[in-house]
Amino acid sequence: MTDDLIFTTLDLDDESPANTARVAGWLDAVMRGFHQGRATDGFRTRWLAVARADGVVNRGVWDTSSLGLSSDVPVATFAHFTKPLNAGAAVVDAWMISDVTVAPTHRRRGLMRRLMTENLDSAVAAGMPVAVLTASEGGIYQRFGFGPATREARVRVDTSSAFRLRHAPDDGGRVVMADPAESWPAASAAFARHHETTRGALARPTFYEHWISGYDWDEQGESRRQRVGVRVGPDGQPDGYVVYEVKRGDETEVKVSDLVAGTPTAYLALWQFLADIDLARVVVGPAPAVDPLAHALVDHRVRRVTSLPDHLWVRVLDLAAALEARPWFADGSLVLRVEDPLGHADGTVRLTAEGGRATAAPSTERPDITLDVETLGTMWLGDVAVDPLARAGRVTGDDAALARFAALADGGPSPYCSTHF
Ligand SMILES: CC(C)(COP(=O)(O)OP(=O)(O)OC[C@H]1O[C@@H](n2cnc3c(N)ncnc32)[C@H](O)[C@@H]1OP(=O)(O)O)[C@@H](O)C(=O)NCCC(=O)NCCS
């Protein structure tokens, strides 16, 4: 059956009728794979514009034995593009994998495996330190060396009179309401501050610009309920924003879809702003896994975590580059053995940390610490410390080596990635 399958990369700039139909078919396959409605012409035009702006590379698998039925629609899709990721000690390019779908008619025949392994080869050839993705299910991507590296909470906050911050987040800044259509320059400036200061922050794909400006990608039309509050810092520059809508019902609810802050005060000020919205007594939305709001409240129980799923999965591709981009929290040296069944990050290095940064040089010495590439991905952004991974049998070494590795590797604020793709 594989003889009937054609693996091709789309040329998004080819506007011939045949290619236009293929591009539309590719998008149809993705919408189908994620159980979304069929794309309207307007949606397709926007999608194409953002894919071009981000330099997305779209690959697909077409089945030539489809009897002419939906022959432009591929049976598998796969996309990648790159954006800068704050790894804590340096900002690195992350190879972002997205739109992975396989049609129900072609599942579990190795299509995704082939697309993924070939794609990771391309990422290595392009010199990428890490690949990242978000996963619809938790059991798929370990086999390719990805580890869940950040989490994102969903919280439900009672904003009735019980909501009280211990200290007013007052630094001379203020929150102003913005027309969504005009809010993008302020929002992107605020995000830039957030990206600079937040380990795990990943630059936003271009579809965010359309969305924050008022286009609803799910509904494929203008979002008339969307509101944007921009926080202006004491320096007069945007340092945060929140995108939300108010859902009226038995219990009127403020539904936050994006909240970004470049400073701790901006973060709490945006929450105070949300709590001050009249006629609503509940705010629901995303939050960091370790959330300062919980500690800023007088009564922490007004904030309830309703879910805490994994978010960004990391796959280390270049061992030395990845180790050198993350922060280290003590000075010292040890030999690290990383096992990678696909070979990309496989190796033994002497890691020498000093002043918060490390160098990693190939070594033939006996390793102090051994772990696999998936485990390295999980601990790379600092969401998981050495100890639980050692107790799980995933980081091994003698007790002294484990203690030294923990002293070097663990520390700093927990990571937060609020970028979805
Ligand atoms: C997930 C999906 C892409 C898998 O594609 P596929 O072509 O069937 O996968 P493959 O046949 O290449 O499987 C490769 C390996 O992954 C495993 N696998 C595939 N899907 C899995 C799943 N949902 N859960 C656990 N393991 C899975 C296979 O068993 C196989 O394991 P093996 O190589 O150890 O035998 C496909 O089922 C799909 O389109 N799902 C809906 C969209 C989606 O969830 N996309 C992922 C978004 S990030």
Side-chain angles (χ1 to χ4, degrees):
M1 95 142 238
T2 44
D3 291 340
D4 297 325
L5 298 178
I6 298 175
F7 288 67
T8 312
T9 300
L10 290 177
D11 177 356
L12 296 186
D13 295 321
D14 175 354
E15 293 184 345
S16 67
N19 193 61
T20 301
R22 281 212 143 184
V23 170
W26 193 95
L27 179 58
D28 267 0
V30 172
M31 304 294 272
R32 185 180 64 195
F34 291 107
H35 309 309
Q36 291 165 305
R38 282 198 183 79
T40 60
D41 288 345
F43 180 97
R44 203 175 293 118
T45 304
R46 274 182 195 264
W47 171 83
L48 194 55
V50 304
R52 283 179 178 149
D54 287 331
V56 179
V57 176
N58 306 73
R59 227 169 135 62
V61 183
W62 279 263
D63 186 345
T64 56
S65 69
S66 66
L67 307 176
L69 293 169
S70 300
S71 56
D72 287 320
V73 180
V75 295
T77 60
F78 199 104
H80 79 261
F81 54 111
T82 61
K83 294 277 176 198
L85 168 68
N86 184 337
V91 173
V92 297
D93 275 339
W95 181 271
M96 296 163 70
I97 292 172
S98 176
D99 294 341
V100 181
T101 72
V102 174
T105 49
H106 289 69
R107 69 197 280 278
R108 308 300 181 270
R109 300 181 198 178
L111 290 189
M112 189 263 285
R113 173 173 285 282
R114 175 165 163 194
L115 288 164
M116 179 64 83
T117 48
E118 289 180 356
N119 187 265
L120 292 177
D121 289 346
S122 307
V124 171
M128 289 291 142
V130 293
V132 297
L133 51 74
T134 62
S136 57
E137 290 176 52
I140 308 176
Y141 295 108
Q142 293 86 344
R143 56 177 51 75
F144 302 110
F146 288 86
T150 73
R151 293 164 295 154
E152 185 175 46
R154 273 205 84 70
V155 294
R156 185 174 180 83
V157 180
D158 172 356
T159 49
S160 64
S161 56
F163 182 100
R164 279 192 297 128
L165 296 178
R166 288 164 186 268
H167 305 287
D170 187 8
D171 59 358
R174 63 195 195 284
V175 177
V176 294
M177 301 295 302
D179 180 339
E182 295 171 353
S183 65
W184 177 248
S188 66
F191 186 84
R193 289 174 83 163
H194 167 80
H195 188 264
E196 222 170 82
T197 53
T198 309
R199 186 176 180 190
L202 178 61
R204 255 82 193 272
T206 303
F207 73 78
Y208 270 85
E209 175 177 349
H210 294 245
W211 171 50
I212 290 169
S213 306
Y215 184 74
D216 184 330
W217 289 97
D218 287 331
E219 298 299 326
Q220 304 193 17
E222 187 192 354
S223 167
R224 301 188 62 78
R225 304 195 70 85
Q226 181 163 301
R227 308 280 181 227
V228 179
V230 172
R231 156 74 199 192
V232 181
D235 59 359
Q237 299 302 314
D239 63 3
Y241 69 89
V242 58
V243 181
Y244 67 95
E245 63 180 75
V246 178
K247 294 205 136 178
R248 295 170 65 180
D250 290 345
E251 189 176 50
T252 296
E253 189 177 278
V254 177
K255 191 167 166 281
V256 173
S257 42
D258 198 21
L259 191 158
V260 163
T263 69
T265 307
Y267 183 68
L268 296 179
L270 286 167
W271 269 105
Q272 185 62 63
F273 162 78
L274 291 166
D276 289 342
I277 296 172
D278 279 333
L279 306 180
R281 300 165 71 88
V282 174
V283 177
V284 296
V290 177
D291 187 357
L293 177 65
H295 307 286
L297 289 161
V298 173
D299 174 359
H300 72 97
R301 288 195 191 179
V302 303
R303 173 190 171 278
R304 198 156 53 81
V305 176
T306 54
S307 67
L308 184 55
D310 60 75
H311 181 52
L312 194 72
W313 291 60
V314 168
R315 205 283 179 213
V316 172
L317 297 168
D318 180 329
L319 179 57
L323 292 172
E324 290 173 5
R326 90 187 287 286
W328 298 90
F329 299 92
D331 293 350
S333 183
L334 46 73
V335 179
L336 201 63
R337 164 94 185 102
V338 175
E339 293 167 346
D340 179 354
L342 295 186
H344 304 307
D346 199 83
T348 303
V349 291
R350 172 162 283 282
L351 181 84
T352 305
E354 197 184 339
R357 300 294 295 262
T359 54
S363 171
T364 52
E365 298 163 272
R366 201 170 68 84
D368 300 302
I369 292 290
T370 301
L371 71 172
D372 64 20
V373 66
E374 178 200 343
T375 305
L376 180 62
T378 288
M379 59 179 293
W380 187 60
L381 289 171
D383 193 45
V384 185
V386 170
D387 179 64
L389 293 168
R391 286 170 191 263
R394 293 176 53 183
V395 177
T396 56
D398 66 30
D399 288 350
L402 287 170
R404 261 192 302 144
F405 189 41
L408 260 59
D410 297 343
S414 81
Y416 186 38
C417 176
S418 63
T419 297
H420 292 247
F421 56 99

